[in-house]
Amino acid sequence: NVQGGNAKLFAWYPGQAGGTALAEIIFGEKNPSGHLPLTFYEDISDLPPFEDYHMENRTYRYFTGRPLYPFGYGLSYTEWSVADAVLSEDGISVNVQNNGHMDGDAVVQVYVRIDSPDAPVHPRLCGFARVSVPAGEKRNTLIHLDRLTDTVVNERGERVKADCLHFYI
């Protein structure tokens, strides 16, 4: 069973089996592995008014403040480590180690930051993969990358190749 204190569990539109799934997570029978598909801001005052459609200080890629919970945030009842990343034409392969005492699924996310004045202030998600790993074991997984990973849209609205990429896993 899981020991713990405070927790937040979001389950939007969980479907017909949602109640059972939530109960299994709450009682420690299943290991949560979801990640946020949006950013939770500390306060509505952190966001600019919607007087125009500029992206400055909006969405996880352009927000310059400190979010309450950032895009991609997630928790687990176990501890994960990722090592030995290898970039190839197919994507990035990594070894995912479950260092905890509970079986679980890891959702490995790959972000890329592009060195360009046209790029957002934060890295963007360019691929992810879910991998099931029993407690104490390791699995290799391949994360396929978005075909636009090495591009950025310039001020003229043109998609151009980036000069320098930085990957984060």
Side-chain angles (χ1 to χ4, degrees):
N1 280 344
V2 175
Q3 303 293 320
N6 298 330
K8 290 184 176 43
L9 181 61
F10 294 96
W12 295 294
Y13 307 108
Q16 182 176 355
T20 301
L22 291 171
E24 290 173 342
I25 290 171
I26 290 168
F27 290 105
E29 296 170 15
K30 297 286 183 180
N31 193 352
S33 60
H35 292 263
L36 287 178
L38 70 159
T39 296
F40 282 84
Y41 303 94
E42 284 277 349
D43 192 90
I44 191 78
S45 65
D46 293 338
L47 299 170
F50 269 101
E51 296 171 349
D52 59 47
Y53 290 98
H54 287 97
M55 295 307 295
E56 184 177 342
N57 216 26
R58 297 185 208 280
T59 80
Y60 84 96
R61 293 176 60 199
Y62 296 91
F63 186 63
T64 57
R66 181 179 169 171
L68 180 63
Y69 298 106
F71 175 92
Y73 179 82
L75 294 173
S76 175
Y77 292 144
T78 193
E79 298 292 324
W80 300 100
S81 62
V82 178
D84 306 321
V86 176
L87 180 62
S88 70
E89 286 185 18
D90 295 327
I92 295 179
S93 67
V94 295
N95 286 324
V96 180
Q97 174 82 38
N98 182 340
N99 300 313
H101 301 289
M102 186 174 192
D103 296 349
D105 284 6
V107 178
V108 183
Q109 304 172 62
V110 177
Y111 291 82
V112 65
R113 182 173 57 82
I114 299 173
D115 287 344
S116 168
D118 297 313
V121 295
H122 295 288
R124 73 176 178 91
L125 180 66
C126 60
F128 65 92
R130 177 182 298 272
V131 58
S132 296
V133 186
E137 293 189 24
K138 177 173 37 175
R139 296 281 189 269
N140 185 272
T141 190
L142 177 67
I143 300 106
H144 295 282
L145 300 179
D146 180 318
R147 66 180 179 80
L148 302 175
T149 294
D150 62 346
T151 66
V152 65
V153 176
N154 65 21
E155 284 188 10
R156 295 184 304 272
E158 303 163 328
R159 186 165 294 279
V160 295
K161 291 278 188 184
D163 293 331
C164 184
L165 303 175
H166 302 273
F167 289 95
Y168 301 90
I169 300 173

